[in-house]
Amino acid sequence: MQNIAPLNWRRFPERYLLRGSYCENCKQAFFPPRAICPNCRRKGKLVSMEMPRTGKIISYTKVYSPPEGFRNEAPYYLAIIELENGARILSQIVDSEPEKIKIGAKVRKVFRRIGEPDKYGTITYGYKFKVIE
């Protein structure tokens, strides 16, 4: 396994600042950032945009059999979240009572550890979401 610190720093704006893109032509936001607007193609004019920190759950699932690196967190919830600007994002739901995790629940971004330390001691951090009252 190689040190993943350089990859995380390259993805800093996306992972730490929740930066996506916005098409000034069709007025649609995208996350993760796109190089070309999927709606407008060459006519689109994409600009970098910080995504809203709140949204609502569109769909969710409870993960019982996680991939390597997430076994100590199982079971956990993953959700498709529609942010206030319409962009959709896949994220883990944390620090929330299971009965509050439901379609339509309002959520906000929180900053949490993403994975376990690797053999170099690198700990990765990033965004997750939490249900808000």
Side-chain angles (χ1 to χ4, degrees), residues 79-98:
I80 297 174
I81 297 164
E82 184 174 84
L83 300 173
E84 288 179 348
N85 64 358
R88 291 190 175 179
I89 184 171
L90 177 67
S91 180
Q92 187 176 355
I93 303 295
V94 296
D95 305 334
S96 303
E97 296 171 18

Side-chain angles (χ1 to χ4, degrees), residues 69-110:
F70 293 92
R71 292 207 167 104
N72 65 332
E73 296 183 36
Y76 61 89
Y77 290 90
L78 282 179
I80 297 174
I81 297 164
E82 184 174 84
L83 300 173
E84 288 179 348
N85 64 358
R88 291 190 175 179
I89 184 171
L90 177 67
S91 180
Q92 187 176 355
I93 303 295
V94 296
D95 305 334
S96 303
E97 296 171 18
E99 61 273 5
K100 292 186 178 183
I101 300 172
K102 56 188 173 186
I103 293 174
K106 294 190 184 296
V107 292
R108 74 173 159 82
K109 179 188 144 198
V110 293

Side-chain angles (χ1 to χ4, degrees), residues 24-110:
E24 293 180 332
N25 188 44
C26 70
K27 311 293 187 226
Q28 187 154 355
F30 303 100
F31 187 86
R34 310 258 178 135
I36 297 172
C37 176
N39 302 325
C40 304
R41 307 284 180 185
R42 290 185 302 177
K43 295 178 183 176
K45 183 173 189 236
L46 289 172
V47 295
S48 179
M49 172 187 204
E50 187 170 340
M51 296 287 114
R53 296 172 189 255
T54 57
K56 65 181 176 179
I57 295 174
I58 299 298
S59 182
Y60 69 94
T61 189
K62 190 172 187 178
V63 178
Y64 290 95
S65 182
E68 179 119 5
F70 293 92
R71 292 207 167 104
N72 65 332
E73 296 183 36
Y76 61 89
Y77 290 90
L78 282 179
I80 297 174
I81 297 164
E82 184 174 84
L83 300 173
E84 288 179 348
N85 64 358
R88 291 190 175 179
I89 184 171
L90 177 67
S91 180
Q92 187 176 355
I93 303 295
V94 296
D95 305 334
S96 303
E97 296 171 18
E99 61 273 5
K100 292 186 178 183
I101 300 172
K102 56 188 173 186
I103 293 174
K106 294 190 184 296
V107 292
R108 74 173 159 82
K109 179 188 144 198
V110 293

